[in-house]
Amino acid sequence: MTGAEIEAIERATVAAVAPREVLEIGGWLVALNAGTIRRAASAVPLSHDLAAETAAFEQIEAAYAARGLAPAFRIADAPGLESVRAELVRRGYRPEQPTLVKVGAAAGMIAAARGEAAAVSATPDAGWARVFISEGFDPADGAGRVAALTRSPDAVYGGIAEDGLTLAVGVAAFGHGWASVHGMRTDASRRGEGLAGRVLAGLAGAAQARGVERVFLQVEEGNAGARSLYRRAGFTQAWRYFYWSR
């Protein structure tokens, strides 16, 4: 991908998870937030070709410390960031939680759906939020994600309900020329029925209504089920990153 596309995706990623505060330091976007959403609480380089600068690391660490937060970084395993990774190791950080950034198109998301596309609204309701704290999900983590995703600027909320009960949800946020998918959740009792694909289709329709065709999302490398879903919807890997923490 081009440097401009990488920067746009990183800026759109941070905006969508709505951290309480964001700084820009020496080519880094520094998301400052408490809670379990790591994209909202880590520093990410805006380029995949950035040399390590001691002063920038010190400023970033000081920003987290000043707010009582543990410093963390989100680093692509691109060759141009080799010196950054080496500096993180030198400073006592270690990589974990490999995650894939995938890119696709709204048309592919719609074509892959098995059934009617999910309904989409400008605001989430209580049923939408319930899915995040339903059986099988961590309640504290779910509550934090609901709070962050409902703060997302310029977002829409997809959901599938039956008999008044919401069963599958997702969010599409818009910014920097992209639609981004976040918060995909399906009630544990109804997985494997194609509901998530219908949510993707609903979000894709909302993107096309805005004239946006390019879509990206992020999925943990070990989440085979989600990766299979996104593959069927036409998503391909753009890059992989790790979180780095002490």
Side-chain angles (χ1 to χ4, degrees):
M1 303 192 74
T2 68
E5 288 173 324
I6 291 167
E7 179 175 348
I9 285 175
E10 296 296 12
R11 290 187 181 278
T13 294
V14 172
V17 294
R20 295 293 184 183
E21 187 178 3
V22 181
L23 303 177
E24 292 198 33
I25 298 173
W28 294 79
L29 201 60
V30 184
L32 298 154
N33 200 71
T36 58
I37 303 179
R38 301 187 78 174
R39 277 171 277 176
S42 53
V44 63
L46 290 171
S47 167
H48 286 178
D49 187 16
L50 182 70
E53 293 186 3
T54 302
F57 279 101
E58 291 176 349
Q59 290 178 54
I60 291 168
E61 289 175 339
Y64 282 105
R67 293 156 180 81
L69 301 171
F73 297 81
R74 181 163 57 87
I75 309 296
D77 56 2
L81 295 174
E82 183 176 354
S83 68
V84 167
R85 293 189 294 272
E87 177 64 14
L88 285 169
V89 171
R90 191 187 72 79
R91 302 178 81 87
Y93 294 85
R94 295 293 180 269
E96 59 187 352
Q97 197 175 330
T99 303
L100 309 178
V101 176
K102 290 179 166 282
V103 296
M109 296 161 67
I110 293 170
R114 295 181 290 161
E116 184 180 357
V120 175
S121 64
T123 56
D125 59 17
W128 184 93
R130 182 206 67 83
V131 178
F132 285 84
I133 57 174
S134 61
E135 185 176 353
F137 297 114
D138 181 281
D141 175 70
R145 291 180 186 275
V146 169
L149 292 170
T150 53
R151 292 197 306 267
S152 298
D154 200 12
V156 295
Y157 303 84
I160 295 175
E162 292 181 5
D163 300 324
L165 181 66
T166 303
L167 300 171
V169 297
V171 181
F174 301 94
H176 301 277
W178 292 82
S180 57
V181 173
H182 306 268
M184 293 290 294
R185 294 288 188 277
T186 300
D187 188 285
S189 67
R190 299 296 296 273
R191 292 174 186 164
E193 299 181 17
L195 300 183
R198 292 169 58 193
V199 171
L200 286 179
L203 299 176
Q208 288 187 332
R210 293 166 175 250
V212 177
E213 186 64 28
R214 299 190 301 173
V215 186
F216 75 88
L217 53 81
Q218 303 183 29
V219 57
E220 289 189 31
E221 189 172 47
N223 190 340
R227 290 179 63 185
S228 178
L229 166 68
Y230 300 141
R231 190 180 306 114
R232 291 195 301 272
F235 284 86
T236 59
Q237 182 174 329
W239 68 84
R240 180 177 69 165
Y241 67 79
F242 290 79
Y243 289 99
W244 290 71
S245 59
R246 285 180 171 136

